[in-house]
Amino acid sequence: MIFEKQEYQEKCINNIIELLKDFDFKKQDNLKQCLQNFYKTTHLPIQNIKDKLNLDILMETGTGKTFTYINLIFELNKVYKQNKFIIFVPRKAILESVKQNLELTKEYFKTQYQKYIKAYFYTDTKSQSAIINNYIKNQDELSVLVLTNSAIDKKGNILNKNNESLFNSKSVFENIIDLKPISIIDEPHLLKGKAFNEYFSKLNSLYFRFGATFPQEKEYELSNIIYCLDSISAFKEYLVKQVKVNTLGTQNKNIFLKEYKKDLATFTYFSNGMEQEIKIKKGDSCKILNNAILKNVKDNKAYFDDETIIEKKENYVLNEDEITELLEQAIDLHFKKEEELFKQNIKALSLFFIPSILDFRGDNPFIKNKFEELYKTKRKQILKTELDKSYRQYLEKDFDENGNLKVHQGYFSGDKGNADEKEAYGVKLILEDKEKLLSFDTSLRFIFSVWALQEGWDNPNIFTLTKLSNSSSQISIHQQVGRGLRLCVNDKGKRITHSYLNFDDAKFYDINYLDILVSSRELNYIENLQKEISNSSFAFNENSLNSLSFKSIDLNEHQIHRIIVLLEDKKIIQFSEEENNYIILKPLYDNIKDDEKAKQILGDKFETLLKALNENSQNKYKQIINANKENNKIKIKPDLTKDFKELWESINKKASIVYKNIKEKELIEKIVKEFNALKIEKEVLYFEKKVFNAQENTIITEEFNILKEIDYKASLYKDIHDLFLNFCKNEKFPLQFLLKIYEKLDKTKFENSPKKAFDNLKNIIKNKLHHNLLQCLSYEFSLNIFSSSYENLVENGEFRKSIDMQKLGRYIDDEKPAKNYLYESVVYDSNIEKEIIKENNENINKKTIKVFAKLPKLSIPTPYKNYEPDFAYFLEDDKGKKIFFICESKGYNNESEIPQDERKKIDYAKVFFKNLNNILKNENIDIIFNTRINKQKLIECIKEILQ
């Protein structure tokens, strides 16, 4: 595996190191003060300070919690000379996972810190000897002790007894307590038991809780938070896979009671994989139950006059027909993506959750036998098609020399041992062969397991996850999905990140998505998953809202209530009884940015809310997709496809960036000149007193005094070289380039405020680089090769009859689009897009608009992130001259409001289409590009660029 430092993981560690700079590690009595000081300069969505010694880190499953806290151990040793640590885990399965991670990262961290961590694992009586003789007695050794909660939570445990090797009357655990070790709690929602905490509290030393989920109980709730990367934020930052939920129903119309309120019962059932809902009043008849009359609903059961009883069912056991359908669909989903991933050197794995070991290892294991039968049938069909040569050879290795299929395996224990030992043994097999499992030399790619549902096991290359069993009530849907959320890796161990794919959203999500396959018996699976993610997150979601989202930007309860009422009245959101939160019906940012009442309610927080909503609208991909419903097909008007195909093929050329004549010396001189001309004010220490006026709902500053100026001169020159190296690393500027700048800078500018000086330098470099790159950047086109987005509209040379809704936008409107609009429905991401789609412009400036369309993920490379323009128009004049007009729509009132990063990408798009037009050298076609802002008419926008 290739390990790389991730920016978000470094930020988490930097937060901790910064907070602890004034912490007294001996007395450990000033953590609260450290937190209060830290929160003055760092905004976190929740600032719940408690008089405990915990620091909480919220990190989404699949973002590398274990790697981060191992890295933290090294940093705390390096910066604060701390060398004794304990990692507490709730299960032996997770202990095995931590053990494997410590081993896998050993050499990586050795190169970073020039030392190893010595790890000790308490598993039985034999392992306590090493703990006593090394962990306890060798107090200078950097070491970590990994324990399950069951190692200390009973008086009779071996660690709670004394040992003659210690030469004192204390127990082993009491000797560990004397070391004042720093603890790390992994999966805190599972370590909240009274017995464990009774013994854990005796440590009375600093501890970190790392988790994606935290307990809801007041005593153990999220508090003293130091870093927050919740589920929604992780998705927006391209750190986890997208999730597509496929629900498979049966023909027998299994019907369940969903809810009963005020004599109205709601029933749900699936037919042909599509969820259906029916509402019946008490005393009315039910069509799908042969017109039986609903008599009563009591204790989650509905009673009908023909003695039919319908239950509100949560537990279920699938019959053989249902299991067969799910297996068949899972194998289909696997093969749909496997060859494409193979060609990119990525091995696809599928995971199945099954009811029991006997279903795979019994005398007549139905699931195993049925899988083999279905797989062989599907494989035979696949081999008859035209396949990549190497992929065909890969499939031909599916059988061993005895003719046995070797693509599948179950990871379970033998007959001996308790539940913990069985679980550890089963998961250990997977963990020890993790790299082997990801190799194409290993045919195994279908994993069947009971235990893998638990935390502690995941694999980055799980692309299909199938539930053939009901879950334990202790295991959340979010935890189940978490087994496959991690971004995938290729056969070299390189993670396929957003940056690795040149920030191309379409490419990223074409690879990094997880198909979940569930039975229709899993009632409200998607709703429950969304609810769990929403309840454990603070960021704004793309399709639902709760009060936590508003609290994360410091709105008080009164403001939250009033803004929610306003959004409801404007029909922007709608309350869902079922999900117990608000469903977003229209784009939030667009519909609130000019609202005077919202400005009045929020005051100085209005701009903060707008910023949060605008950032939320940037990623146009949904985190969770209902593959049965939301990924519905939008029909394409067949009479418009011929013309649009000509446009689509002209603008869809594979392109790469080239740089010519970069004038580095001139660039450096400009940067230095602007920086050296800056006036940077001295930082000051101040006292401020604010009072909340409840009557007017305002905060009044009663007192503000400057106490003294801060002098950085003495400490600065000792650290200036390290500061520059860190600046170079964090901003990813070439080191040699930055050193040439550094030589010529006026260093005294850093004395007044190093932070302001570095921030100014960063902005100057970025702006000058952008201006310089625009002068020397060009594009090279492969005229005979289409870009990756081409197949969104064309397949095997033929224009598609429909397109997935998610490739066009998040929202769908009931009104009809314009006559010459390519698609039959109005699918959009912003209000300006919606208005444009409905515009019936047939002639512009003596030119006919033959067809126009929202572009489905046409991606243009830029030195920043890839850029996706919104619309394309095909115009033709009376002499047959064609204009292909590419239009970027922006819901701002003037261009100056467009954020700087967006403007930069637009600048590069202008260069892209200008270069493309020149390279095509077609006198009968002009390709032009422009930005259309909020109130601008289409004719003005086209005239502007034609001139």
Side-chain angles (χ1 to χ4, degrees):
M1 297 285 283
I2 296 171
F3 295 100
E4 300 167 291
K5 285 195 174 184
Q6 302 293 328
E7 194 176 323
Y8 64 93
Q9 293 169 342
E10 286 194 346
K11 187 177 178 185
C12 170
I13 291 168
N14 290 341
N15 278 11
I16 293 166
I17 297 301
E18 173 67 19
L19 179 133
L20 294 174
K21 67 183 179 183
D22 297 318
F23 181 65
D24 188 330
F25 283 92
K26 287 185 178 178
K27 293 181 181 176
Q28 304 210 4
D29 58 355
N30 66 331
L31 185 63
K32 188 174 183 179
Q33 184 61 50
C34 290
L35 281 159
Q36 288 168 343
N37 293 339
F38 181 76
Y39 288 154
K40 285 175 185 175
T41 56
T42 307
H43 173 72
L44 285 163
I46 181 170
Q47 297 183 4
N48 180 17
I49 298 179
K50 287 199 173 181
D51 286 317
K52 286 187 172 186
L53 285 169
N54 67 296
L55 290 174
D56 285 354
I57 295 93
L58 177 66
M59 286 183 80
E60 169 65 332
T61 299
T63 57
K65 293 194 299 292
T66 311
F67 180 90
T68 306
Y69 66 62
I70 294 171
N71 197 354
L72 174 63
I73 289 171
F74 279 103
E75 276 294 313
L76 290 172
N77 174 255
K78 177 186 169 184
V79 180
Y80 298 121
K81 312 306 177 198
Q82 300 302 301
N83 64 335
K84 293 296 172 187
F85 297 86
I86 304 177
I87 298 171
F88 284 102
V89 297
R91 298 190 179 99
K92 285 194 177 177
I94 304 177
L95 183 142
E96 291 295 332
S97 174
V98 173
K99 191 175 185 178
Q100 184 69 6
N101 272 282
L102 284 164
E103 186 59 35
L104 285 172
T105 58
K106 191 164 103 175
E107 295 306 323
Y108 169 79
F109 284 121
K110 174 67 163 59
T111 62
Q112 301 289 316
Y113 295 95
Q114 290 74 53
K115 62 173 69 177
Y116 294 113
I117 292 177
K118 186 68 180 168
Y120 300 95
F121 303 88
Y122 175 76
T123 50
D124 51 34
T125 51
K126 294 174 187 174
S127 58
Q128 71 168 325
S129 174
I131 294 168
I132 292 167
N133 294 321
N134 297 287
Y135 182 80
I136 294 174
K137 290 185 177 179
N138 187 354
Q139 295 191 15
D140 295 326
E141 177 187 73
L142 172 58
S143 53
V144 61
L145 177 59
V146 187
L147 302 174
T148 61
N149 58 313
S150 58
I152 64 162
D153 63 2
K154 295 179 189 71
K155 189 177 179 181
N157 287 350
I158 288 165
L159 293 185
N160 287 324
K161 295 178 180 177
N162 54 10
N163 186 293
E164 59 187 23
S165 303
L166 288 165
F167 304 112
N168 61 37
S169 59
K170 293 180 179 180
S171 70
V172 179
F173 188 52
E174 284 170 334
N175 276 270
I176 291 169
I177 291 168
D178 289 343
L179 297 173
K180 280 285 187 185
I182 293 173
S183 299
I184 291 162
I185 291 182
D186 194 331
E187 306 293 356
H189 67 293
L190 297 174
L191 288 174
K192 57 186 181 182
K194 187 179 176 183
F196 167 70
N197 279 284
E198 181 186 336
Y199 283 91
F200 174 75
S201 62
K202 293 178 182 180
L203 283 163
N204 194 31
S205 183
L206 180 70
Y207 65 100
F208 299 91
R209 296 194 299 170
F210 278 78
T213 311
F214 280 77
Q216 298 298 310
E217 292 85 349
K218 192 81 177 164
E219 191 177 350
Y220 305 113
E221 67 183 354
L222 190 65
S223 62
N224 297 356
I225 189 166
I226 189 66
Y227 182 72
C228 179
L229 180 68
D230 59 32
S231 181
I232 294 168
S233 301
F235 177 74
K236 287 177 184 172
E237 295 295 322
Y238 306 96
L239 302 177
V240 290
K241 291 189 185 112
Q242 185 181 50
V243 176
K244 297 182 182 180
V245 180
N246 305 263
T247 309
L248 200 64
T250 56
Q251 297 293 333
N252 60 10
K253 289 185 182 152
N254 287 318
I255 180 169
F256 303 104
L257 174 66
K258 192 173 183 180
E259 65 178 12
Y260 182 67
K261 285 184 178 178
K262 297 178 181 177
D263 288 344
L264 184 68
T266 304
F267 296 91
T268 183
Y269 66 94
F270 277 77
S271 179
N272 297 311
M274 297 296 291
E275 187 178 16
Q276 308 292 327
E277 217 175 69
I278 187 168
K279 294 182 187 289
I280 306 165
K281 272 191 173 181
K282 191 174 170 181
D284 286 355
S285 61
C286 176
K287 285 182 184 177
I288 61 170
L289 291 175
N290 299 319
N291 292 317
I293 295 169
L294 178 63
K295 288 173 61 182
N296 195 17
V297 179
K298 189 179 178 183
D299 300 328
N300 288 329
K301 292 179 182 178
Y303 297 87
F304 290 82
D305 66 347
D306 64 352
E307 298 187 355
T308 298
I309 300 172
I310 303 296
E311 295 184 49
K312 189 171 186 178
K313 215 165 191 179
E314 292 178 4
N315 297 322
Y316 62 85
V317 176
L318 299 179
N319 60 44
E320 290 187 356
D321 286 343
E322 290 170 311
I323 288 171
T324 300
E325 283 186 59
L326 284 164
L327 285 170
E328 191 169 12
Q329 185 69 14
I331 293 166
D332 281 350
L333 284 171
H334 181 94
F335 273 111
K336 273 179 186 174
K337 62 187 89 172
E338 184 174 67
E339 184 182 2
E340 281 308 307
L341 290 168
F342 178 88
K343 286 191 274 190
Q344 297 172 78
N345 299 314
I346 300 165
K347 183 178 178 181
L349 302 175
S350 290
L351 175 63
F352 296 83
F353 300 145
I354 65 175
S356 82
I357 295 171
L358 296 176
D359 292 307
F360 199 87
R361 292 248 175 107
D363 293 334
N364 185 25
F366 174 76
I367 288 177
K368 183 184 179 186
N369 294 343
K370 182 54 70 174
F371 170 82
E372 290 178 356
E373 175 196 322
L374 294 169
Y375 180 83
K376 288 172 186 176
T377 303
K378 184 68 181 179
R379 179 180 175 275
K380 200 176 284 184
Q381 292 170 8
I382 295 290
L383 287 171
K384 286 177 184 176
T385 63
E386 193 177 319
L387 295 176
D388 173 83
K389 185 182 175 183
S390 298
Y391 178 61
R392 182 178 289 276
Q393 289 171 350
Y394 175 60
L395 290 182
E396 285 168 354
K397 295 190 291 185
D398 281 355
F399 295 87
D400 63 21
E401 60 275 9
N402 299 317
N404 298 312
L405 192 63
K406 56 177 184 175
V407 301
H408 60 318
Q409 187 54 266
Y411 286 95
F412 314 108
S413 70
D415 297 324
K416 295 178 182 178
N418 59 34
D420 254 358
E421 287 165 349
K422 288 180 181 181
E423 181 181 326
Y425 178 74
V427 178
K428 185 179 175 185
L429 284 173
I430 302 170
L431 291 171
E432 287 186 351
D433 288 335
K434 203 165 194 174
E435 289 178 297
K436 190 178 176 184
L437 192 60
L438 293 171
S439 166
F440 290 114
D441 294 331
T442 305
S443 296
L444 173 60
R445 53 198 193 276
F446 295 91
I447 300 161
F448 291 80
S449 186
V450 177
W451 302 114
L453 260 172
Q454 310 285 4
E455 304 86 344
W457 189 90
D458 60 18
N459 190 291
N461 286 25
I462 297 293
F463 288 97
T464 308
L465 190 156
T466 307
K467 283 198 70 187
L468 300 174
S469 64
N470 185 45
S471 308
S472 155
S473 59
Q474 294 178 338
I475 301 165
S476 75
I477 294 173
H478 195 185
Q479 288 167 29
Q480 297 163 23
V481 172
R483 303 313 102 216
L485 276 185
R486 200 176 290 271
L487 299 184
C488 66
V489 299
N490 63 19
D491 60 344
K492 300 289 187 295
K494 174 67 181 166
R495 202 165 294 283
I496 310 302
T497 60
H498 196 228
S499 60
Y500 179 80
L501 295 168
N502 296 317
F503 306 102
D504 188 321
D505 287 11
K507 275 187 186 175
F508 178 80
Y509 288 119
D510 279 348
I511 293 173
N512 281 301
Y513 72 91
L514 173 69
D515 269 309
I516 308 279
L517 190 58
V518 296
S519 161
S520 59
R521 307 275 196 100
E522 287 269 352
L523 291 182
N524 307 323
Y525 187 90
I526 291 172
E527 290 86 349
N528 290 332
L529 174 58
Q530 287 173 333
K531 187 176 177 182
E532 282 186 24
I533 284 174
S534 182
N535 288 345
S536 64
S537 297
F538 301 95
F540 284 92
N541 202 346
E542 83 276 346
N543 55 5
S544 63
L545 268 184
N546 60 30
S547 59
L548 280 179
S549 308
F550 291 107
K551 279 184 179 175
S552 70
I553 55 166
D554 290 339
L555 299 194
N556 60 42
E557 294 291 346
H558 181 61
Q559 290 170 320
I560 291 170
H561 171 72
R562 290 189 68 196
I563 204 73
I564 283 176
V565 169
L566 175 68
L567 293 171
E568 267 196 298
D569 290 346
K570 291 170 73 73
K571 295 186 168 49
I572 297 167
I573 62 173
Q574 178 182 304
F575 187 72
S576 166
E577 296 277 354
E578 181 182 294
E579 296 184 36
N580 195 32
N581 60 10
Y582 294 89
I583 306 302
I584 299 169
L585 304 175
K586 298 174 184 176
L588 281 172
Y589 174 78
D590 274 3
N591 286 284
I592 203 173
K593 66 186 175 73
D594 295 318
D595 194 283
E596 291 301 324
K597 195 168 181 183
K599 289 178 187 176
Q600 186 184 346
I601 292 168
L602 300 179
D604 60 354
K605 292 286 165 60
F606 180 70
E607 291 301 324
T608 310
L609 176 64
L610 277 193
K611 185 173 182 288
L613 295 179
N614 196 23
E615 285 170 357
N616 182 59
S617 66
Q618 299 307 309
N619 188 339
K620 295 179 180 179
Y621 285 78
K622 281 196 170 187
Q623 187 172 5
I624 302 161
I625 292 172
N626 183 338
N628 298 71
K629 275 186 175 181
E630 289 184 38
N631 200 15
N632 58 351
K633 302 290 184 183
I634 302 300
K635 287 182 180 177
I636 294 170
K637 297 173 183 175
D639 56 317
L640 299 178
T641 57
K642 184 185 173 188
D643 287 329
F644 202 81
K645 187 168 186 259
E646 185 182 355
L647 180 156
W648 189 237
E649 289 181 344
S650 297
I651 65 174
N652 241 297
K653 307 300 182 187
K654 187 177 171 66
S656 57
I657 297 172
V658 290
Y659 299 102
K660 297 171 182 174
N661 305 318
I662 297 178
K663 297 173 183 175
E664 188 185 81
K665 188 178 177 183
E666 187 182 313
L667 173 63
I668 289 170
E669 284 174 2
K670 286 179 179 177
I671 291 167
V672 170
K673 185 179 178 182
E674 187 168 335
F675 179 82
N676 288 347
L678 288 174
K679 185 178 179 183
I680 296 175
E681 300 289 339
K682 273 186 176 288
E683 283 186 29
V684 296
L685 191 67
Y686 65 85
F687 171 81
E688 184 178 31
K689 183 180 178 182
K690 289 187 174 183
V691 177
F692 176 64
N693 185 325
Q695 287 181 324
E696 296 180 15
N697 193 30
T698 57
I699 295 171
I700 300 164
T701 302
E702 278 196 349
E703 191 178 343
F704 184 90
N705 297 316
I706 293 174
L707 303 178
K708 67 173 183 177
E709 291 184 337
I710 302 172
D711 184 10
Y712 287 101
K713 192 171 183 178
S715 62
L716 178 66
Y717 289 107
K718 187 178 70 173
D719 300 329
I720 189 75
H721 290 90
D722 286 342
L723 289 171
F724 254 89
L725 286 172
N726 285 333
F727 175 67
C728 175
K729 183 176 71 173
N730 293 337
E731 300 305 328
K732 297 180 174 61
F733 293 134
L735 180 58
Q736 291 303 318
F737 172 68
L738 199 64
L739 286 174
K740 288 174 187 175
I741 294 171
Y742 174 61
E743 286 171 11
K744 299 182 178 184
L745 291 179
D746 177 359
K747 313 297 189 297
T748 62
K749 299 290 178 190
F750 294 88
E751 292 174 11
N752 290 350
S753 173
K755 187 178 187 308
K756 285 179 190 172
F758 276 111
D759 284 347
N760 275 289
L761 181 61
K762 176 180 72 177
N763 293 331
I764 290 168
I765 292 174
K766 285 189 172 180
N767 289 333
K768 295 296 180 191
L769 271 174
H770 173 64
H771 180 74
N772 190 271
L773 289 179
L774 272 176
Q775 311 308 311
C776 61
L777 174 140
S778 185
Y779 287 90
E780 284 184 353
F781 296 92
S782 305
L783 294 181
N784 297 319
I785 303 173
F786 293 118
S787 72
S788 58
S789 60
Y790 179 70
E791 292 188 359
N792 287 335
L793 287 175
V794 180
E795 185 179 31
N796 299 324
E798 297 295 320
F799 215 87
R800 293 180 183 272
K801 293 179 180 177
S802 63
I803 183 170
D804 292 346
M805 176 181 163
Q806 66 156 339
K807 292 188 187 297
L808 296 177
R810 296 181 190 174
Y811 308 99
I812 190 161
D813 195 80
D814 294 335
E815 294 184 52
K816 283 190 175 183
K819 289 179 185 177
N820 50 359
Y821 187 63
L822 182 64
Y823 316 110
E824 292 190 1
S825 303
V826 177
V827 178
Y828 66 103
D829 283 308
S830 63
N831 283 355
I832 187 171
E833 287 184 2
K834 182 171 71 170
E835 296 309 313
I836 287 170
I837 291 167
K838 293 190 288 185
E839 281 179 343
N840 273 299
N841 292 308
E842 293 185 9
N843 292 284
I844 293 282
N845 205 27
K846 297 181 182 178
K847 294 173 183 65
T848 303
I849 299 177
K850 302 190 81 175
V851 60
F852 77 104
K854 190 170 182 206
L855 293 169
K857 311 301 177 189
L858 175 69
S859 190
I860 294 169
T862 85
Y864 292 84
K865 292 186 177 180
N866 277 24
Y867 169 67
E868 295 179 359
D870 294 325
F871 290 92
Y873 291 78
F874 182 131
L875 296 94
E876 190 173 59
D877 65 18
D878 53 6
K879 293 176 184 175
K881 176 74 182 275
K882 298 167 185 175
I883 295 173
F884 297 157
F885 171 48
I886 318 303
C887 176
E888 172 66 19
S889 60
K890 291 292 178 190
Y892 301 99
N893 293 323
N894 56 68
E895 281 200 29
S896 64
E897 292 179 16
I898 301 173
Q900 192 69 25
D901 281 354
E902 289 183 49
R903 269 191 270 173
K904 285 175 182 174
K905 287 190 282 185
I906 289 168
D907 287 341
Y908 291 113
K910 289 174 182 174
V911 177
F912 177 91
F913 287 110
K914 185 178 179 181
N915 286 180
L916 179 59
N917 189 53
N918 293 339
I919 207 83
L920 284 177
K921 294 176 183 173
N922 190 329
E923 291 181 6
N924 198 42
I925 295 174
D926 273 341
I927 297 175
I928 60 175
F929 170 85
N930 202 10
T931 305
R932 183 181 181 188
I933 57 172
N934 208 6
K935 308 295 181 188
Q936 193 177 24
K937 293 188 181 300
L938 181 62
I939 187 167
E940 293 169 1
C941 190
I942 294 175
K943 272 185 178 179
E944 190 179 277
I945 194 66
L946 286 174
Q947 286 167 3

